[in-house]
Amino acid sequence: MSEVYEKLKGCYDAVRKMTDFEPEVALVLGSGLGDFADNIEVEGEISYKDIPGFPVSTAPGHVGKFIYGRIGDKKIICMKGRVHFYEGYAISDVVLPARLMGMLGAKVLILTNASGGINENFKPGDFMLITDHISSFAVNPLIGPNIAELGVRFPDMSEIYNHELNDKIRAAAKELGIDLKEGVYLQTTGPSYESPAEIRMFKTLGADAVGMSTVVEAIAANHAGMKICGISCVTNLAAGIAKYKLTEEEVLEAGAAAAPRFKELLIKFIGEI
Ligand code: HPA
């Protein structure tokens, strides 16, 4: 058994000692969206620190716990606070939570995040359905011995973001009158924001939004056979597109301002899965 899988299995066993809850849907909440968990009919919570070996997030706006329960008739597990590569964790630790939620039973993974808008048709507060991603500026989470218990050595990535789930998100947005944007999300390692020259490069490469998460989790979850979808909240215009400097406060404030609409969209969508 690989070391990474051994650790994952240890976390799984620890969680199973605390609950036999089997989620259908897993949800990762991005910056500023943490209080979405208030919409869950909670059955239980597990602090990351109570799972031996589990990486504990240090990022502002990220509380570290799993909350599980129901939204309507769906059994959901929600990560309040994710782990980022820029915090200094091994990439295998960054994707451990997504893999763990899959092992607990979740077939669907909903990834959310905050991003900088590159596409000139985007404005702060917009939501972007992630239709594809660019992983070339992040570390691949599958590097190392393949975990055959989860998936194959060279997994296909031609439809990472599931078309049927995407159609349901589009339909939910339409019903709510949300002008849902769509595009390609590019992940950097962070933690520095991008330079204007980098943003011009990313634009040339086909990216519509940029952020510091999501792609690596999507790769690991896709490897493990989960159905994935992603929605990004464009909290700011990317460097050089905005004529002012970027700050963490701006990202968190814009995320918080968009959160009520984001929640409505998620709840409607989850009801349709
Ligand atoms: N760049 C990278 N990550 C981000 C940004 C950005 O402009 N906004 C929110 N997360």
Side-chain angles (χ1 to χ4, degrees):
M1 209 193 287
S2 82
E3 237 173 75
V4 171
Y5 188 64
E6 215 169 297
K7 182 167 185 178
L8 178 63
K9 188 75 177 41
C11 290
Y12 173 81
D13 291 341
V15 170
R16 276 286 167 255
K17 284 204 183 100
M18 297 183 233
T19 178
D20 57 6
F21 184 81
E22 282 190 20
E24 298 160 273
V25 175
L27 171 64
V28 182
L29 296 168
S31 305
L33 296 167
D35 68 350
F36 174 82
D38 299 348
N39 295 280
I40 295 178
E41 225 179 283
V42 178
E43 283 186 26
E45 295 188 358
I46 300 173
S47 284
Y48 299 160
K49 63 177 171 32
D50 294 334
I51 308 172
F54 195 93
V56 179
S57 174
T58 62
H62 289 258
V63 182
K65 60 181 172 184
F66 285 116
I67 299 173
Y68 54 90
R70 284 170 198 268
I71 292 182
D73 62 351
K74 293 277 150 23
K75 289 167 83 179
I76 184 162
I77 185 162
C78 174
M79 278 188 82
K80 194 165 176 174
R82 60 146 63 86
V83 181
H84 302 84
F85 186 64
Y86 62 72
E87 292 173 78
Y89 292 104
I91 196 70
S92 56
D93 279 345
V94 176
V95 300
L96 184 150
R99 284 173 161 161
L100 177 58
M101 293 190 291
M103 276 175 90
L104 291 170
K107 303 273 181 294
V108 169
L109 175 65
I110 307 171
L111 295 165
T112 70
N113 63 39
S115 65
I118 298 176
N119 185 316
E120 61 231 12
N121 297 317
F122 293 0
K123 54 185 187 315
D126 277 346
F127 302 132
M128 184 187 89
L129 177 68
I130 302 175
T131 53
D132 205 348
H133 73 211
I134 294 173
S135 73
S136 316
F137 300 90
V139 179
N140 195 298
L142 307 181
I143 289 174
N146 182 46
I147 304 176
E149 291 86 346
L150 297 180
V152 297
R153 173 73 294 187
F154 300 108
D156 174 71
M157 293 281 153
S158 50
E159 188 196 323
I160 303 167
Y161 300 90
N162 184 269
H163 289 173
E164 283 157 32
L165 294 175
N166 287 352
D167 280 343
K168 288 180 177 166
I169 296 169
R170 290 183 184 107
K174 197 166 173 204
E175 255 185 71
L176 293 169
I178 292 173
D179 175 24
L180 182 69
K181 304 291 201 284
E182 300 198 6
V184 173
Y185 175 90
L186 182 149
Q187 179 177 351
T188 66
T189 62
S192 46
Y193 288 122
E194 304 71 34
S195 70
E198 284 162 349
I199 292 299
R200 287 195 297 274
M201 170 178 69
F202 293 162
K203 186 173 184 175
T204 305
L205 294 177
D208 296 292
V210 62
M212 304 174 195
S213 68
T214 303
V215 167
V216 294
E217 291 137 297
I219 290 174
N222 189 45
H223 172 247
M226 297 174 85
K227 282 188 184 174
I228 302 153
C229 59
I231 309 172
S232 185
C233 176
V234 177
T235 51
N236 57 280
L237 300 178
I241 298 178
K243 299 295 170 229
Y244 49 86
K245 289 189 177 179
L246 303 182
T247 64
E248 172 76 30
E249 289 69 36
E250 178 194 4
V251 169
L252 290 178
E253 269 169 36
R261 291 297 272 165
F262 206 87
K263 280 185 224 170
E264 279 181 66
L265 178 60
L266 280 175
I267 289 169
K268 190 157 214 41
F269 163 55
I270 290 166
E272 299 299 324
I273 295 176

